[in-house]
Amino acid sequence: MKIGIMTFYFSDNFGAALQAYALRKWFLDHGHDARFVEYLPTHVEHGGKLSLVPTRKAMIGNAKSLYLRLTHLRTRLFGNAAQRESFESFRRVQLGASGSVMRHLADLNAADDDHDLLVCGSDQIWSPSLQFGLDPAYFLNFGSDRTRRISYAPSFGNAALPDLKAAGASKLISRLDSISVRESSGLRLVEEICGRQATQVVDPTALLDSYDEIIKPPSDVPENYIFCYALRTDDGVRESANQLSSLTGLPVITPKNAHSRWAPIGRICHPGPGEWLGLIRNSRYVVTNSFHGTMFSLLLNKPFVVAAIPGKKAGLNDRMISLLEAAGLGDRLVSCHDEKTVRKLHDTPIDWAAVNQRLATMRASSEQFLENEIALAAR
């Protein structure tokens, strides 16, 4: 089967890179020719065009666009060159990306469509951005109707139902032949948006039972340490990491995040995707507010604490809540500055045999979804 994958494969983000790797690897391991649809719209990483419409919504979108432009420029000029090359090498070697990208939906429609199956997912590809809204390309709204189209584990992020309906999500989702989502909340959103039933599946990273072939041992780090990975905010993550450091006497190691607007938590390092996995595997504890930080703590069986994101972005916690409840570890999500719970979690071992069994069950049902869709596409 010739399978095209539409996702955020191009981002210098550990979770985005590894979920893309995992989904393609699963298809390759099952004998299929899987490649990424090399669509890289400017609005995702570089901000996109500015709007001239004099509305508050447009002004907010323009502010986000300018922020992304400045962050991209700052990273290119002053970021760690070795880390940037690690991501670029990962995309070339592990993702098989050629670098010949398309920028617009019109480019996708003009391209030769020789896929037997198109798959959109995973990551937050269905979360409308402030500067662009929903991108029809990430709903596979292009190409020939002869090609079967499915979603695999996309996330709506923190999107609200009214915003999704206003952005035209009903029409976009309705074109898909089969729908799966990552979070339990996505099941409800799909039904309320377009009246269709979706299947809940695991994130692609949970489809693989080993990452040994791409994990790289971390360099220049202590033998024992706490790995800390924060996205969007350091609130809660910093306090939990520092508390665990005080309890254990271990130093805190944090990978550089280009979008962080807070002081470093512990010692900064600059890993690529393989080294990032190595940092988790070799750590004593993990503290994170990231979905993929949580997922790889589970997959690599590392003791962890998930700090709930506070305030206006609290809706993003749904991703971790859904995952942790499925793994039987809902109590490992802690509210900000909850020292009592952090201490209790430090003293409470995790039953990894039970967690691994739950993950295996979720993996099996998700693989069945993909195998059924491949069979339907082959008819």
Side-chain angles (χ1 to χ4, degrees):
M1 300 286 289
K2 292 184 177 180
I3 299 173
I5 303 171
M6 174 69 78
T7 192
F8 295 156
Y9 74 93
F10 48 78
S11 177
D12 284 1
N13 174 285
F14 305 108
L18 291 167
Q19 63 84 20
Y21 165 81
L23 186 56
R24 178 173 181 261
K25 181 72 163 53
W26 188 90
F27 284 125
L28 293 176
D29 287 348
H30 286 75
H32 304 290
D33 177 11
R35 304 179 186 183
F36 294 100
V37 178
E38 296 196 48
Y39 174 64
L40 203 168
T42 57
H43 67 83
V44 175
E45 291 283 288
H46 308 152
K49 295 181 180 179
L50 298 179
S51 173
L52 299 179
V53 179
T55 63
R56 182 176 182 275
K57 183 178 179 180
M59 291 175 63
I60 293 173
N62 286 342
K64 179 65 179 293
S65 294
L66 290 171
Y67 164 75
L68 289 173
R69 290 185 187 187
L70 291 172
T71 300
H72 177 74
L73 180 61
R74 182 184 63 184
T75 302
R76 288 292 160 180
L77 292 177
F78 307 111
N80 185 277
Q83 185 179 38
R84 186 165 61 247
E85 172 53 32
S86 291
F87 272 100
E88 292 174 354
S89 174
F90 187 84
R91 284 189 284 270
R92 288 193 306 269
V93 177
Q94 304 298 344
L95 302 187
S98 69
S100 179
V101 302
M102 293 172 279
R103 298 286 187 185
H104 307 286
L105 187 63
D107 299 330
L108 295 170
N109 281 313
D112 292 335
D113 182 8
D114 61 348
H115 299 105
D116 300 304
L117 179 67
L118 282 171
V119 184
C120 57
S122 171
D123 222 335
Q124 295 183 60
I125 60 169
W126 287 1
S127 178
S129 65
L130 293 172
Q131 71 275 22
F132 191 87
L134 293 176
D135 188 337
Y138 289 106
F139 294 81
L140 306 177
N141 196 28
F142 60 88
S144 169
D145 288 334
R146 296 188 301 273
T147 302
R148 186 168 181 82
R149 291 168 166 75
I150 68 169
S151 64
Y152 184 82
S155 173
F156 289 100
N158 196 25
L161 180 62
D163 295 332
L164 291 166
K165 284 188 173 181
S170 176
K171 183 177 180 180
L172 293 171
I173 294 175
S174 293
R175 192 181 181 190
L176 295 171
D177 294 297
S178 189
I179 307 166
S180 71
V181 292
R182 194 174 69 184
E183 283 87 48
S184 54
S185 61
L187 299 173
R188 171 183 55 80
L189 283 171
V190 168
E191 185 172 8
E192 293 180 354
I193 288 168
C194 61
R196 292 182 60 183
Q197 299 295 311
T199 301
Q200 187 177 4
V201 293
V202 294
D203 186 80
T205 53
L207 290 174
L208 305 185
D209 56 11
S210 174
Y211 284 84
D212 287 348
E213 68 179 64
I214 63 169
I215 290 182
K216 296 183 179 180
S219 59
D220 194 28
V221 296
E223 182 176 351
N224 293 305
Y225 56 88
I226 296 166
F227 182 71
C228 179
Y229 183 50
L231 292 178
R232 296 178 179 83
T233 179
D234 65 330
D235 201 1
V237 181
R238 180 183 301 276
E239 291 79 9
S240 296
N242 288 339
Q243 183 182 355
L244 278 176
S245 180
S246 296
L247 289 170
T248 61
L250 299 177
V252 177
I253 303 295
T254 302
K256 177 62 177 175
N257 171 13
H259 294 281
S260 64
R261 299 181 294 279
W262 52 86
I265 307 172
R267 176 179 156 191
I268 292 291
C269 60
H270 299 84
E275 293 85 0
W276 186 82
L277 286 177
L279 283 164
I280 294 178
R281 185 174 68 176
N282 287 20
S283 68
R284 284 275 301 279
Y285 299 92
V286 176
V287 180
T288 188
N289 63 1
S290 148
F291 175 85
H292 284 106
T294 306
M295 175 59 83
F296 278 104
S297 297
L298 293 171
L299 294 176
L300 298 174
N301 288 183
K302 306 306 298 188
F304 67 97
V305 170
V306 180
I309 298 172
K312 295 180 180 179
K313 297 182 179 179
L316 292 167
N317 293 320
D318 180 68
R319 301 172 300 156
M320 278 80 76
I321 292 170
S322 182
L323 173 61
L324 291 172
E325 289 180 347
L329 295 173
D331 62 339
R332 301 201 80 85
L333 181 76
V334 302
S335 59
C336 288
H337 315 260
D338 188 350
E339 295 184 1
K340 182 179 179 181
T341 300
V342 172
R343 180 180 292 274
K344 179 182 177 182
L345 292 177
H346 169 259
D347 295 333
T348 305
I350 296 173
D351 183 351
W352 287 114
V355 171
N356 292 338
Q357 182 57 53
R358 284 172 174 261
L359 289 173
T361 300
M362 292 188 287
R363 178 184 299 128
S365 64
S366 300
E367 288 186 303
Q368 188 62 58
F369 171 85
L370 287 172
E371 289 165 359
N372 289 343
E373 292 303 323
I374 290 169
L376 289 170
R379 290 181 179 177

